[in-house]
Amino acid sequence: MTTASGLPVGRVGFGAMRLPAAPGPAREQALAVVRRAVGLGVPLIDTAFLYGWGANEELLAEALHPYPEGLLVATKVGIVPSEEGEGWAHDGRPESLRRQTEQALRRLRLDRVELLQLHRLDPAVPVAEQVGALRELRDAGLVGGIGLSEVTVEQLAEARRTAAIASVQNRYNLFDREHEAVLAQCEAAGIAFLPWRPVAAERSAEVDAVARELGATPQQVLLAWLLARSPVMLPIPGTASAAHLEENVAAGALRLTDDLRARLDRAAAGA
């Protein structure tokens, strides 16, 4: 299934953030995990400049180039290194976004990135200027779809006045539904919703009980809940473990009855 924007939904994607990129055995394992993800039919792999300041993108290119047909590689721009705070800063200036995109294309060994996301909107730059820069890149053939990350309903609506938005990547899971209204807006417009942190950190006796009844893991139940929650949902759980990856992908085949979903929703409401 695809959204109105043409992005695949309804299956489990892969978030590459956790993959180690430094030389050594851990990197070799990371390459194997990425290749296994493709072998399992993962439709989308999500990366970003922030993940190792380009090292994660280079890892994906080493593992997968030339990329198999049908695989969508998504990356993010708008964040740059900084010596202050958490080690990063916003930079949504149009000239910076163009430069970051060109560098990402070189690292990924692509002529066009099918989904380019603003990692965060820069509060110092008008939304129309930031999204407009990505629209120009799309019009030039360097970008397929434009995505946003961690946006409000108002920011999403403002961005859509400048360009069509293909996806939104906000934090969302069974126990964390702060962005419920954003999800609803995405559903109404056919915009893919890529929840990051899709597996809640909280332990829940009810989730554990449902998992036992289904012969599944609690993590699989949480991913299955997301897939059942909305037709535009595409979770992107991350892992550096091949076994964990296979469990995550298998969650795409797990079906929750209305009763099980109601039990999970009640557990979340009472948490």
Side-chain angles (χ1 to χ4, degrees):
M1 176 183 175
T2 60
T3 60
S5 58
L7 294 186
V9 295
R11 291 186 290 166
V12 179
F14 179 71
M17 180 178 66
R18 297 184 183 180
L19 296 176
R27 179 187 178 87
E28 294 306 311
Q29 180 178 337
L31 293 169
V33 168
V34 173
R35 292 166 182 149
R36 181 60 178 149
V38 172
L40 291 170
V42 164
L44 180 148
I45 295 180
D46 177 77
T47 183
F49 176 45
L50 175 62
Y51 307 159
W53 303 119
N56 197 270
E57 294 170 325
E58 292 172 345
L59 177 79
L60 293 183
E62 180 179 342
L64 301 176
H65 188 270
Y67 299 96
E69 185 177 354
L71 175 67
L72 193 153
V73 176
T75 193
K76 310 183 198 69
V77 294
I79 296 294
V80 295
S82 172
E83 295 181 358
E84 300 179 359
E86 298 181 7
W88 61 267
H90 299 93
D91 191 350
R93 296 172 298 161
E95 62 272 19
S96 177
L97 295 176
R98 284 192 290 270
R99 183 174 61 253
Q100 290 180 53
T101 301
E102 291 166 356
Q103 292 169 347
L105 288 169
R106 286 195 293 271
R107 287 189 294 266
L108 289 165
R109 306 181 204 171
L110 289 170
D111 296 322
R112 160 178 157 136
V113 59
E114 291 303 322
L115 178 61
L116 183 69
Q117 306 161 92
L118 275 173
H119 208 150
R120 295 290 187 274
L121 287 172
D122 187 341
V125 180
V127 171
E129 289 187 16
Q130 299 177 71
V131 177
L134 300 195
R135 183 191 62 203
E136 290 177 3
L137 291 165
R138 184 197 63 196
D139 293 346
L142 299 179
V143 170
I146 297 169
L148 304 174
S149 180
E150 281 302 283
V151 291
T152 64
V153 167
E154 293 75 20
Q155 289 170 330
L156 175 55
E158 185 177 1
R160 293 180 66 206
R161 288 193 284 270
T162 298
I165 300 301
S167 69
V168 168
Q169 185 173 149
N170 279 16
R171 190 186 69 250
Y172 187 88
N173 58 58
L174 173 64
F175 294 96
D176 184 352
R177 305 195 210 179
E178 175 185 353
H179 297 295
E180 197 78 62
V182 178
L183 173 58
Q185 189 174 3
C186 288
E187 281 188 3
I191 296 170
F193 190 87
L194 283 58
W196 66 269
R197 197 178 293 162
V199 176
E202 296 89 341
R203 291 290 302 189
S204 165
E206 191 63 31
V207 173
D208 290 346
V210 170
R212 286 193 297 272
E213 291 175 29
L214 295 174
T217 68
Q219 291 78 14
Q220 287 176 319
V221 169
L222 293 171
L223 290 171
W225 178 86
L226 283 170
L227 292 170
R229 171 64 187 81
S230 171
V232 298
M233 194 76 72
L234 176 57
I236 48 170
T239 180
S241 160
H244 190 197
L245 165 69
E246 292 180 4
E247 288 183 357
N248 289 341
V249 173
L254 194 63
R255 297 292 178 262
L256 301 178
T257 65
D258 290 343
D259 177 65
L260 292 177
R261 290 176 59 192
R263 286 168 55 186
L264 293 171
D265 286 332
R266 287 195 296 270

